[in-house]
Amino acid sequence: MTSHQTTQTMKPATAAKKLGVYLEATPAEFQEGVISRSELNALQADPPEWLVELRRSGPHPRPVVAAKLGVSISGLARGGITEPLTTEQIDALKQELPEWLQKERATQAEVRKEAVRIKEKNEEKNEEKNEEKDAKRGE
C-alpha cells in the first residue's frame, strides 16, 4: 500500500486573505488559479513586485483598512466605509479625523481596555485556583 501526499491548495480568495490583499486588485493569473501551500509560502517569503505594491498602496481589504484606522470592521460600516480603500485614502481619513472615526477609535480603545481587564481577572482566578490546589496538596 503506497501513501502519496496530496498538495494542499486553496482558492485565490483564501490566499488573498492570508496575504492581506484585496483579491480584485491582484493579477488575473492569481485570481483564476488555485494556490498551493508552497506557493503561498513563497509569496510570503519573497513577495513579487505586484504584492509589495498592493500591500504598500492598496486598495486594501476591510480588515486591513480597519486595522490601519484603529477601528473594528463594524465600526467601518457604521462610518459608511464599505469599499476597499487605498493607503492615500486611509491617510486622508486620518488627517480629516471625522467624528465617526474619533467615536469608533474611542469605542475600540474601550473594547481593548475591557479585554485586558477580563484577561487579568481570569488570570487572578486561575492563580487562586492553583493556590487552593497547592494548599490542598499540602494538607
Side-chain angles (χ1 to χ4, degrees):
M1 186 150 86
T2 15
S3 68
H4 26 130
Q5 188 96 12
T6 58
T7 305
Q8 184 182 9
T9 60
M10 61 192 84
K11 293 177 183 173
T14 304
K17 192 174 189 177
K18 289 179 181 287
L19 292 169
V21 295
Y22 182 56
L23 178 62
E24 283 75 15
T26 61
E29 60 269 13
F30 181 87
Q31 294 180 38
E32 293 163 3
V34 292
I35 293 88
S36 71
R37 173 65 64 189
S38 58
E39 288 171 327
L40 179 70
N41 291 341
L43 286 170
Q44 289 172 323
D46 186 21
E49 186 55 39
W50 66 263
L51 181 53
V52 171
E53 185 56 32
L54 257 182
R55 286 177 168 167
R56 182 183 314 120
S57 56
H60 303 287
R62 286 181 309 149
V64 173
V65 173
K68 286 180 179 273
L69 290 174
V71 299
S72 67
I73 294 173
S74 347
L76 276 182
R78 285 190 292 271
I81 307 294
T82 56
E83 297 297 314
L85 299 180
T86 63
T87 301
E88 193 176 301
Q89 291 169 313
I90 293 168
D91 291 343
L93 272 174
K94 287 179 178 178
Q95 290 297 313
E96 293 167 20
L97 209 57
E99 189 178 325
W100 72 265
L101 182 55
Q102 294 174 40
K103 188 174 152 188
E104 290 301 332
R105 281 181 166 177
T107 300
Q108 197 63 12
E110 287 299 317
V111 167
R112 283 193 289 272
K113 229 187 283 182
E114 181 64 7
V116 168
R117 187 190 69 76
I118 290 170
K119 182 180 176 190
E120 288 171 353
K121 184 178 176 182
N122 288 339
E123 285 172 357
E124 285 175 21
K125 280 184 183 178
N126 287 336
E127 283 177 26
E128 288 172 9
K129 284 181 185 176
N130 289 336
E131 287 171 6
E132 287 174 13
K133 285 180 185 176
D134 291 345
K136 286 182 180 178
R137 285 186 196 134
E139 288 176 2

PDB file of all heavy atoms in Angstrom, residues 35-74:
ATOM      1  N   ILE A  35      -3.952  28.112  -5.459  1.00  0.00           N
ATOM      2  CA  ILE A  35      -2.648  28.402  -4.878  1.00  0.00           C
ATOM      3  C   ILE A  35      -2.308  27.279  -3.912  1.00  0.00           C
ATOM      4  O   ILE A  35      -3.100  26.944  -3.029  1.00  0.00           O
ATOM      5  CB  ILE A  35      -2.656  29.780  -4.160  1.00  0.00           C
ATOM      6  CG1 ILE A  35      -2.816  30.913  -5.191  1.00  0.00           C
ATOM      7  CG2 ILE A  35      -1.365  30.016  -3.415  1.00  0.00           C
ATOM      8  CD1 ILE A  35      -4.173  31.272  -5.518  1.00  0.00           C
ATOM      9  N   SER A  36      -1.136  26.713  -4.092  1.00  0.00           N
ATOM     10  CA  SER A  36      -0.704  25.655  -3.178  1.00  0.00           C
ATOM     11  C   SER A  36      -0.100  26.299  -1.941  1.00  0.00           C
ATOM     12  O   SER A  36       0.276  27.482  -1.947  1.00  0.00           O
ATOM     13  CB  SER A  36       0.330  24.745  -3.851  1.00  0.00           C
ATOM     14  OG  SER A  36       1.550  25.445  -4.009  1.00  0.00           O
ATOM     15  N   ARG A  37       0.006  25.518  -0.885  1.00  0.00           N
ATOM     16  CA  ARG A  37       0.602  25.998   0.360  1.00  0.00           C
ATOM     17  C   ARG A  37       2.035  26.468   0.093  1.00  0.00           C
ATOM     18  O   ARG A  37       2.453  27.509   0.589  1.00  0.00           O
ATOM     19  CB  ARG A  37       0.563  24.871   1.402  1.00  0.00           C
ATOM     20  CG  ARG A  37       1.278  25.163   2.683  1.00  0.00           C
ATOM     21  CD  ARG A  37       0.694  26.272   3.486  1.00  0.00           C
ATOM     22  NE  ARG A  37      -0.644  25.973   3.959  1.00  0.00           N
ATOM     23  CZ  ARG A  37      -1.414  26.873   4.548  1.00  0.00           C
ATOM     24  NH1 ARG A  37      -0.985  28.090   4.747  1.00  0.00           N
ATOM     25  NH2 ARG A  37      -2.612  26.552   4.947  1.00  0.00           N
ATOM     26  N   SER A  38       2.793  25.722  -0.731  1.00  0.00           N
ATOM     27  CA  SER A  38       4.181  26.107  -1.007  1.00  0.00           C
ATOM     28  C   SER A  38       4.241  27.404  -1.821  1.00  0.00           C
ATOM     29  O   SER A  38       5.120  28.238  -1.598  1.00  0.00           O
ATOM     30  CB  SER A  38       4.944  24.982  -1.703  1.00  0.00           C
ATOM     31  OG  SER A  38       4.305  24.637  -2.904  1.00  0.00           O
ATOM     32  N   GLU A  39       3.283  27.605  -2.741  1.00  0.00           N
ATOM     33  CA  GLU A  39       3.241  28.866  -3.496  1.00  0.00           C
ATOM     34  C   GLU A  39       2.927  30.040  -2.565  1.00  0.00           C
ATOM     35  O   GLU A  39       3.526  31.113  -2.685  1.00  0.00           O
ATOM     36  CB  GLU A  39       2.185  28.799  -4.599  1.00  0.00           C
ATOM     37  CG  GLU A  39       2.564  27.906  -5.763  1.00  0.00           C
ATOM     38  CD  GLU A  39       1.416  27.680  -6.742  1.00  0.00           C
ATOM     39  OE1 GLU A  39       0.243  27.640  -6.302  1.00  0.00           O
ATOM     40  OE2 GLU A  39       1.711  27.534  -7.930  1.00  0.00           O
ATOM     41  N   LEU A  40       2.006  29.831  -1.633  1.00  0.00           N
ATOM     42  CA  LEU A  40       1.669  30.872  -0.664  1.00  0.00           C
ATOM     43  C   LEU A  40       2.893  31.214   0.184  1.00  0.00           C
ATOM     44  O   LEU A  40       3.210  32.392   0.389  1.00  0.00           O
ATOM     45  CB  LEU A  40       0.513  30.436   0.238  1.00  0.00           C
ATOM     46  CG  LEU A  40       0.116  31.451   1.304  1.00  0.00           C
ATOM     47  CD1 LEU A  40      -0.557  32.667   0.685  1.00  0.00           C
ATOM     48  CD2 LEU A  40      -0.789  30.823   2.334  1.00  0.00           C
ATOM     49  N   ASN A  41       3.577  30.176   0.668  1.00  0.00           N
ATOM     50  CA  ASN A  41       4.786  30.408   1.468  1.00  0.00           C
ATOM     51  C   ASN A  41       5.835  31.174   0.675  1.00  0.00           C
ATOM     52  O   ASN A  41       6.501  32.065   1.211  1.00  0.00           O
ATOM     53  CB  ASN A  41       5.367  29.082   1.972  1.00  0.00           C
ATOM     54  CG  ASN A  41       4.467  28.431   3.001  1.00  0.00           C
ATOM     55  OD1 ASN A  41       3.613  29.075   3.604  1.00  0.00           O
ATOM     56  ND2 ASN A  41       4.634  27.134   3.193  1.00  0.00           N
ATOM     57  N   ALA A  42       5.977  30.851  -0.614  1.00  0.00           N
ATOM     58  CA  ALA A  42       6.937  31.552  -1.468  1.00  0.00           C
ATOM     59  C   ALA A  42       6.538  33.019  -1.643  1.00  0.00           C
ATOM     60  O   ALA A  42       7.395  33.913  -1.609  1.00  0.00           O
ATOM     61  CB  ALA A  42       7.037  30.863  -2.826  1.00  0.00           C
ATOM     62  N   LEU A  43       5.236  33.277  -1.816  1.00  0.00           N
ATOM     63  CA  LEU A  43       4.752  34.659  -1.945  1.00  0.00           C
ATOM     64  C   LEU A  43       5.014  35.453  -0.667  1.00  0.00           C
ATOM     65  O   LEU A  43       5.347  36.636  -0.719  1.00  0.00           O
ATOM     66  CB  LEU A  43       3.253  34.679  -2.273  1.00  0.00           C
ATOM     67  CG  LEU A  43       2.865  34.289  -3.690  1.00  0.00           C
ATOM     68  CD1 LEU A  43       1.344  34.117  -3.798  1.00  0.00           C
ATOM     69  CD2 LEU A  43       3.347  35.321  -4.689  1.00  0.00           C
ATOM     70  N   GLN A  44       4.865  34.789   0.477  1.00  0.00           N
ATOM     71  CA  GLN A  44       5.105  35.473   1.751  1.00  0.00           C
ATOM     72  C   GLN A  44       6.590  35.714   1.982  1.00  0.00           C
ATOM     73  O   GLN A  44       6.991  36.771   2.461  1.00  0.00           O
ATOM     74  CB  GLN A  44       4.514  34.663   2.906  1.00  0.00           C
ATOM     75  CG  GLN A  44       3.008  34.696   2.907  1.00  0.00           C
ATOM     76  CD  GLN A  44       2.390  33.755   3.915  1.00  0.00           C
ATOM     77  OE1 GLN A  44       2.875  32.661   4.147  1.00  0.00           O
ATOM     78  NE2 GLN A  44       1.272  34.179   4.509  1.00  0.00           N
ATOM     79  N   ALA A  45       7.424  34.732   1.628  1.00  0.00           N
ATOM     80  CA  ALA A  45       8.855  34.836   1.878  1.00  0.00           C
ATOM     81  C   ALA A  45       9.535  35.818   0.926  1.00  0.00           C
ATOM     82  O   ALA A  45      10.400  36.589   1.338  1.00  0.00           O
ATOM     83  CB  ALA A  45       9.501  33.459   1.748  1.00  0.00           C
ATOM     84  N   ASP A  46       9.134  35.789  -0.334  1.00  0.00           N
ATOM     85  CA  ASP A  46       9.768  36.634  -1.345  1.00  0.00           C
ATOM     86  C   ASP A  46       8.681  37.221  -2.235  1.00  0.00           C
ATOM     87  O   ASP A  46       8.464  36.756  -3.358  1.00  0.00           O
ATOM     88  CB  ASP A  46      10.760  35.791  -2.165  1.00  0.00           C
ATOM     89  CG  ASP A  46      11.567  36.647  -3.130  1.00  0.00           C
ATOM     90  OD1 ASP A  46      11.669  37.869  -2.917  1.00  0.00           O
ATOM     91  OD2 ASP A  46      12.072  36.076  -4.125  1.00  0.00           O
ATOM     92  N   PRO A  47       7.959  38.254  -1.732  1.00  0.00           N
ATOM     93  CA  PRO A  47       6.815  38.772  -2.484  1.00  0.00           C
ATOM     94  C   PRO A  47       7.230  39.410  -3.814  1.00  0.00           C
ATOM     95  O   PRO A  47       8.215  40.148  -3.863  1.00  0.00           O
ATOM     96  CB  PRO A  47       6.205  39.816  -1.543  1.00  0.00           C
ATOM     97  CG  PRO A  47       7.189  40.056  -0.477  1.00  0.00           C
ATOM     98  CD  PRO A  47       8.178  38.951  -0.479  1.00  0.00           C
ATOM     99  N   PRO A  48       6.474  39.113  -4.872  1.00  0.00           N
ATOM    100  CA  PRO A  48       6.737  39.762  -6.163  1.00  0.00           C
ATOM    101  C   PRO A  48       6.362  41.248  -6.083  1.00  0.00           C
ATOM    102  O   PRO A  48       5.672  41.675  -5.145  1.00  0.00           O
ATOM    103  CB  PRO A  48       5.832  39.003  -7.131  1.00  0.00           C
ATOM    104  CG  PRO A  48       4.771  38.399  -6.280  1.00  0.00           C
ATOM    105  CD  PRO A  48       5.380  38.163  -4.937  1.00  0.00           C
ATOM    106  N   GLU A  49       6.768  42.009  -7.060  1.00  0.00           N
ATOM    107  CA  GLU A  49       6.542  43.461  -7.054  1.00  0.00           C
ATOM    108  C   GLU A  49       5.061  43.817  -6.924  1.00  0.00           C
ATOM    109  O   GLU A  49       4.703  44.745  -6.202  1.00  0.00           O
ATOM    110  CB  GLU A  49       7.145  44.091  -8.314  1.00  0.00           C
ATOM    111  CG  GLU A  49       7.092  45.607  -8.325  1.00  0.00           C
ATOM    112  CD  GLU A  49       7.733  46.284  -7.114  1.00  0.00           C
ATOM    113  OE1 GLU A  49       8.788  45.822  -6.643  1.00  0.00           O
ATOM    114  OE2 GLU A  49       7.155  47.279  -6.623  1.00  0.00           O
ATOM    115  N   TRP A  50       4.167  43.076  -7.609  1.00  0.00           N
ATOM    116  CA  TRP A  50       2.743  43.407  -7.539  1.00  0.00           C
ATOM    117  C   TRP A  50       2.216  43.281  -6.113  1.00  0.00           C
ATOM    118  O   TRP A  50       1.384  44.073  -5.671  1.00  0.00           O
ATOM    119  CB  TRP A  50       1.909  42.565  -8.514  1.00  0.00           C
ATOM    120  CG  TRP A  50       1.851  41.090  -8.243  1.00  0.00           C
ATOM    121  CD1 TRP A  50       2.624  40.123  -8.822  1.00  0.00           C
ATOM    122  CD2 TRP A  50       0.987  40.398  -7.323  1.00  0.00           C
ATOM    123  NE1 TRP A  50       2.298  38.885  -8.325  1.00  0.00           N
ATOM    124  CE2 TRP A  50       1.295  39.014  -7.408  1.00  0.00           C
ATOM    125  CE3 TRP A  50      -0.019  40.797  -6.445  1.00  0.00           C
ATOM    126  CZ2 TRP A  50       0.647  38.045  -6.650  1.00  0.00           C
ATOM    127  CZ3 TRP A  50      -0.672  39.828  -5.697  1.00  0.00           C
ATOM    128  CH2 TRP A  50      -0.338  38.480  -5.798  1.00  0.00           C
ATOM    129  N   LEU A  51       2.724  42.297  -5.361  1.00  0.00           N
ATOM    130  CA  LEU A  51       2.273  42.092  -3.993  1.00  0.00           C
ATOM    131  C   LEU A  51       2.831  43.183  -3.074  1.00  0.00           C
ATOM    132  O   LEU A  51       2.115  43.725  -2.234  1.00  0.00           O
ATOM    133  CB  LEU A  51       2.694  40.700  -3.502  1.00  0.00           C
ATOM    134  CG  LEU A  51       2.275  40.297  -2.094  1.00  0.00           C
ATOM    135  CD1 LEU A  51       0.772  40.464  -1.885  1.00  0.00           C
ATOM    136  CD2 LEU A  51       2.701  38.862  -1.813  1.00  0.00           C
ATOM    137  N   VAL A  52       4.087  43.521  -3.274  1.00  0.00           N
ATOM    138  CA  VAL A  52       4.710  44.598  -2.485  1.00  0.00           C
ATOM    139  C   VAL A  52       3.932  45.899  -2.698  1.00  0.00           C
ATOM    140  O   VAL A  52       3.599  46.607  -1.744  1.00  0.00           O
ATOM    141  CB  VAL A  52       6.203  44.769  -2.876  1.00  0.00           C
ATOM    142  CG1 VAL A  52       6.796  46.011  -2.238  1.00  0.00           C
ATOM    143  CG2 VAL A  52       7.002  43.529  -2.510  1.00  0.00           C
ATOM    144  N   GLU A  53       3.628  46.195  -3.961  1.00  0.00           N
ATOM    145  CA  GLU A  53       2.919  47.430  -4.298  1.00  0.00           C
ATOM    146  C   GLU A  53       1.495  47.433  -3.734  1.00  0.00           C
ATOM    147  O   GLU A  53       1.030  48.440  -3.200  1.00  0.00           O
ATOM    148  CB  GLU A  53       2.896  47.618  -5.821  1.00  0.00           C
ATOM    149  CG  GLU A  53       2.292  48.924  -6.279  1.00  0.00           C
ATOM    150  CD  GLU A  53       2.933  50.173  -5.688  1.00  0.00           C
ATOM    151  OE1 GLU A  53       4.156  50.168  -5.405  1.00  0.00           O
ATOM    152  OE2 GLU A  53       2.203  51.162  -5.469  1.00  0.00           O
ATOM    153  N   LEU A  54       0.801  46.298  -3.826  1.00  0.00           N
ATOM    154  CA  LEU A  54      -0.557  46.207  -3.276  1.00  0.00           C
ATOM    155  C   LEU A  54      -0.552  46.434  -1.769  1.00  0.00           C
ATOM    156  O   LEU A  54      -1.425  47.122  -1.234  1.00  0.00           O
ATOM    157  CB  LEU A  54      -1.141  44.816  -3.556  1.00  0.00           C
ATOM    158  CG  LEU A  54      -2.146  44.688  -4.666  1.00  0.00           C
ATOM    159  CD1 LEU A  54      -2.655  43.267  -4.769  1.00  0.00           C
ATOM    160  CD2 LEU A  54      -3.279  45.655  -4.534  1.00  0.00           C
ATOM    161  N   ARG A  55       0.412  45.826  -1.092  1.00  0.00           N
ATOM    162  CA  ARG A  55       0.492  45.999   0.364  1.00  0.00           C
ATOM    163  C   ARG A  55       0.837  47.436   0.726  1.00  0.00           C
ATOM    164  O   ARG A  55       0.392  47.948   1.735  1.00  0.00           O
ATOM    165  CB  ARG A  55       1.535  45.043   0.958  1.00  0.00           C
ATOM    166  CG  ARG A  55       1.059  43.608   1.000  1.00  0.00           C
ATOM    167  CD  ARG A  55       2.145  42.710   1.512  1.00  0.00           C
ATOM    168  NE  ARG A  55       1.648  41.373   1.822  1.00  0.00           N
ATOM    169  CZ  ARG A  55       2.442  40.346   2.055  1.00  0.00           C
ATOM    170  NH1 ARG A  55       3.759  40.484   2.016  1.00  0.00           N
ATOM    171  NH2 ARG A  55       1.930  39.168   2.331  1.00  0.00           N
ATOM    172  N   ARG A  56       1.641  48.079  -0.113  1.00  0.00           N
ATOM    173  CA  ARG A  56       2.071  49.450   0.171  1.00  0.00           C
ATOM    174  C   ARG A  56       0.950  50.457  -0.075  1.00  0.00           C
ATOM    175  O   ARG A  56       0.662  51.291   0.773  1.00  0.00           O
ATOM    176  CB  ARG A  56       3.289  49.801  -0.680  1.00  0.00           C
ATOM    177  CG  ARG A  56       3.835  51.205  -0.418  1.00  0.00           C
ATOM    178  CD  ARG A  56       4.998  51.617  -1.306  1.00  0.00           C
ATOM    179  NE  ARG A  56       6.016  50.588  -1.428  1.00  0.00           N
ATOM    180  CZ  ARG A  56       6.384  50.022  -2.586  1.00  0.00           C
ATOM    181  NH1 ARG A  56       5.813  50.380  -3.724  1.00  0.00           N
ATOM    182  NH2 ARG A  56       7.333  49.109  -2.616  1.00  0.00           N
ATOM    183  N   SER A  57       0.306  50.371  -1.261  1.00  0.00           N
ATOM    184  CA  SER A  57      -0.622  51.435  -1.615  1.00  0.00           C
ATOM    185  C   SER A  57      -2.075  51.016  -1.755  1.00  0.00           C
ATOM    186  O   SER A  57      -2.944  51.855  -1.878  1.00  0.00           O
ATOM    187  CB  SER A  57      -0.147  52.122  -2.898  1.00  0.00           C
ATOM    188  OG  SER A  57       0.010  51.188  -3.928  1.00  0.00           O
ATOM    189  N   GLY A  58      -2.350  49.709  -1.746  1.00  0.00           N
ATOM    190  CA  GLY A  58      -3.728  49.261  -1.792  1.00  0.00           C
ATOM    191  C   GLY A  58      -4.231  49.140  -3.205  1.00  0.00           C
ATOM    192  O   GLY A  58      -3.446  49.189  -4.147  1.00  0.00           O
ATOM    193  N   PRO A  59      -5.518  48.965  -3.391  1.00  0.00           N
ATOM    194  CA  PRO A  59      -6.572  49.039  -2.386  1.00  0.00           C
ATOM    195  C   PRO A  59      -6.469  47.894  -1.370  1.00  0.00           C
ATOM    196  O   PRO A  59      -6.057  46.795  -1.699  1.00  0.00           O
ATOM    197  CB  PRO A  59      -7.857  48.934  -3.200  1.00  0.00           C
ATOM    198  CG  PRO A  59      -7.463  48.237  -4.458  1.00  0.00           C
ATOM    199  CD  PRO A  59      -6.038  48.605  -4.719  1.00  0.00           C
ATOM    200  N   HIS A  60      -6.837  48.243  -0.131  1.00  0.00           N
ATOM    201  CA  HIS A  60      -6.743  47.299   0.976  1.00  0.00           C
ATOM    202  C   HIS A  60      -8.115  46.728   1.319  1.00  0.00           C
ATOM    203  O   HIS A  60      -9.115  47.444   1.261  1.00  0.00           O
ATOM    204  CB  HIS A  60      -6.182  48.005   2.224  1.00  0.00           C
ATOM    205  CG  HIS A  60      -4.851  48.638   1.987  1.00  0.00           C
ATOM    206  ND1 HIS A  60      -3.697  47.917   1.860  1.00  0.00           N
ATOM    207  CD2 HIS A  60      -4.488  49.940   1.849  1.00  0.00           C
ATOM    208  CE1 HIS A  60      -2.674  48.743   1.663  1.00  0.00           C
ATOM    209  NE2 HIS A  60      -3.131  49.971   1.648  1.00  0.00           N
ATOM    210  N   PRO A  61      -8.176  45.449   1.713  1.00  0.00           N
ATOM    211  CA  PRO A  61      -9.457  44.867   2.138  1.00  0.00           C
ATOM    212  C   PRO A  61      -9.886  45.475   3.479  1.00  0.00           C
ATOM    213  O   PRO A  61      -9.065  46.048   4.211  1.00  0.00           O
ATOM    214  CB  PRO A  61      -9.142  43.377   2.268  1.00  0.00           C
ATOM    215  CG  PRO A  61      -7.673  43.301   2.458  1.00  0.00           C
ATOM    216  CD  PRO A  61      -7.082  44.493   1.758  1.00  0.00           C
ATOM    217  N   ARG A  62     -11.154  45.329   3.798  1.00  0.00           N
ATOM    218  CA  ARG A  62     -11.708  45.955   5.019  1.00  0.00           C
ATOM    219  C   ARG A  62     -10.953  45.617   6.300  1.00  0.00           C
ATOM    220  O   ARG A  62     -10.733  46.513   7.114  1.00  0.00           O
ATOM    221  CB  ARG A  62     -13.194  45.634   5.163  1.00  0.00           C
ATOM    222  CG  ARG A  62     -14.034  46.429   4.170  1.00  0.00           C
ATOM    223  CD  ARG A  62     -15.501  46.161   4.278  1.00  0.00           C
ATOM    224  NE  ARG A  62     -15.739  44.724   4.238  1.00  0.00           N
ATOM    225  CZ  ARG A  62     -16.735  44.118   4.868  1.00  0.00           C
ATOM    226  NH1 ARG A  62     -17.592  44.800   5.550  1.00  0.00           N
ATOM    227  NH2 ARG A  62     -16.878  42.812   4.782  1.00  0.00           N
ATOM    228  N   PRO A  63     -10.526  44.367   6.534  1.00  0.00           N
ATOM    229  CA  PRO A  63      -9.786  44.110   7.779  1.00  0.00           C
ATOM    230  C   PRO A  63      -8.499  44.927   7.887  1.00  0.00           C
ATOM    231  O   PRO A  63      -8.147  45.408   8.970  1.00  0.00           O
ATOM    232  CB  PRO A  63      -9.475  42.607   7.715  1.00  0.00           C
ATOM    233  CG  PRO A  63     -10.519  42.043   6.816  1.00  0.00           C
ATOM    234  CD  PRO A  63     -10.805  43.118   5.803  1.00  0.00           C
ATOM    235  N   VAL A  64      -7.829  45.134   6.763  1.00  0.00           N
ATOM    236  CA  VAL A  64      -6.596  45.921   6.762  1.00  0.00           C
ATOM    237  C   VAL A  64      -6.920  47.401   6.973  1.00  0.00           C
ATOM    238  O   VAL A  64      -6.255  48.088   7.750  1.00  0.00           O
ATOM    239  CB  VAL A  64      -5.798  45.699   5.452  1.00  0.00           C
ATOM    240  CG1 VAL A  64      -4.595  46.631   5.361  1.00  0.00           C
ATOM    241  CG2 VAL A  64      -5.367  44.239   5.332  1.00  0.00           C
ATOM    242  N   VAL A  65      -7.975  47.886   6.313  1.00  0.00           N
ATOM    243  CA  VAL A  65      -8.404  49.281   6.475  1.00  0.00           C
ATOM    244  C   VAL A  65      -8.757  49.531   7.937  1.00  0.00           C
ATOM    245  O   VAL A  65      -8.322  50.524   8.533  1.00  0.00           O
ATOM    246  CB  VAL A  65      -9.611  49.613   5.557  1.00  0.00           C
ATOM    247  CG1 VAL A  65     -10.159  51.007   5.850  1.00  0.00           C
ATOM    248  CG2 VAL A  65      -9.214  49.490   4.090  1.00  0.00           C
ATOM    249  N   ALA A  66      -9.525  48.623   8.526  1.00  0.00           N
ATOM    250  CA  ALA A  66      -9.936  48.774   9.926  1.00  0.00           C
ATOM    251  C   ALA A  66      -8.711  48.826  10.833  1.00  0.00           C
ATOM    252  O   ALA A  66      -8.625  49.681  11.726  1.00  0.00           O
ATOM    253  CB  ALA A  66     -10.851  47.625  10.336  1.00  0.00           C
ATOM    254  N   ALA A  67      -7.757  47.935  10.612  1.00  0.00           N
ATOM    255  CA  ALA A  67      -6.545  47.911  11.446  1.00  0.00           C
ATOM    256  C   ALA A  67      -5.742  49.195  11.290  1.00  0.00           C
ATOM    257  O   ALA A  67      -5.274  49.764  12.276  1.00  0.00           O
ATOM    258  CB  ALA A  67      -5.689  46.699  11.079  1.00  0.00           C
ATOM    259  N   LYS A  68      -5.608  49.675  10.063  1.00  0.00           N
ATOM    260  CA  LYS A  68      -4.833  50.903   9.822  1.00  0.00           C
ATOM    261  C   LYS A  68      -5.505  52.127  10.453  1.00  0.00           C
ATOM    262  O   LYS A  68      -4.832  53.071  10.846  1.00  0.00           O
ATOM    263  CB  LYS A  68      -4.630  51.136   8.321  1.00  0.00           C
ATOM    264  CG  LYS A  68      -3.611  50.190   7.689  1.00  0.00           C
ATOM    265  CD  LYS A  68      -3.470  50.472   6.201  1.00  0.00           C
ATOM    266  CE  LYS A  68      -2.458  49.569   5.549  1.00  0.00           C
ATOM    267  NZ  LYS A  68      -1.100  50.074   5.609  1.00  0.00           N
ATOM    268  N   LEU A  69      -6.838  52.098  10.545  1.00  0.00           N
ATOM    269  CA  LEU A  69      -7.564  53.219  11.150  1.00  0.00           C
ATOM    270  C   LEU A  69      -7.764  53.045  12.655  1.00  0.00           C
ATOM    271  O   LEU A  69      -8.196  53.971  13.333  1.00  0.00           O
ATOM    272  CB  LEU A  69      -8.920  53.403  10.468  1.00  0.00           C
ATOM    273  CG  LEU A  69      -8.887  53.934   9.037  1.00  0.00           C
ATOM    274  CD1 LEU A  69     -10.288  53.915   8.432  1.00  0.00           C
ATOM    275  CD2 LEU A  69      -8.293  55.333   8.982  1.00  0.00           C
ATOM    276  N   GLY A  70      -7.482  51.851  13.164  1.00  0.00           N
ATOM    277  CA  GLY A  70      -7.641  51.602  14.594  1.00  0.00           C
ATOM    278  C   GLY A  70      -9.085  51.436  15.027  1.00  0.00           C
ATOM    279  O   GLY A  70      -9.463  51.837  16.129  1.00  0.00           O
ATOM    280  N   VAL A  71      -9.899  50.848  14.134  1.00  0.00           N
ATOM    281  CA  VAL A  71     -11.311  50.623  14.448  1.00  0.00           C
ATOM    282  C   VAL A  71     -11.666  49.183  14.092  1.00  0.00           C
ATOM    283  O   VAL A  71     -10.871  48.471  13.494  1.00  0.00           O
ATOM    284  CB  VAL A  71     -12.244  51.601  13.682  1.00  0.00           C
ATOM    285  CG1 VAL A  71     -11.934  53.039  14.052  1.00  0.00           C
ATOM    286  CG2 VAL A  71     -12.134  51.418  12.176  1.00  0.00           C
ATOM    287  N   SER A  72     -12.891  48.787  14.424  1.00  0.00           N
ATOM    288  CA  SER A  72     -13.363  47.448  14.060  1.00  0.00           C
ATOM    289  C   SER A  72     -13.952  47.486  12.647  1.00  0.00           C
ATOM    290  O   SER A  72     -14.249  48.562  12.121  1.00  0.00           O
ATOM    291  CB  SER A  72     -14.436  46.988  15.049  1.00  0.00           C
ATOM    292  OG  SER A  72     -15.588  47.796  14.916  1.00  0.00           O
ATOM    293  N   ILE A  73     -14.162  46.315  12.082  1.00  0.00           N
ATOM    294  CA  ILE A  73     -14.792  46.240  10.760  1.00  0.00           C
ATOM    295  C   ILE A  73     -16.226  46.772  10.836  1.00  0.00           C
ATOM    296  O   ILE A  73     -16.676  47.485   9.946  1.00  0.00           O
ATOM    297  CB  ILE A  73     -14.744  44.793  10.210  1.00  0.00           C
ATOM    298  CG1 ILE A  73     -13.296  44.396   9.949  1.00  0.00           C
ATOM    299  CG2 ILE A  73     -15.577  44.668   8.934  1.00  0.00           C
ATOM    300  CD1 ILE A  73     -13.091  42.950   9.566  1.00  0.00           C
ATOM    301  N   SER A  74     -16.930  46.475  11.937  1.00  0.00           N
ATOM    302  CA  SER A  74     -18.288  47.016  12.085  1.00  0.00           C
ATOM    303  C   SER A  74     -18.248  48.534  12.224  1.00  0.00           C
ATOM    304  O   SER A  74     -19.149  49.224  11.759  1.00  0.00           O
ATOM    305  CB  SER A  74     -19.028  46.457  13.291  1.00  0.00           C
ATOM    306  OG  SER A  74     -18.426  45.364  13.844  1.00  0.00           O
TER     307      SER A  74
END
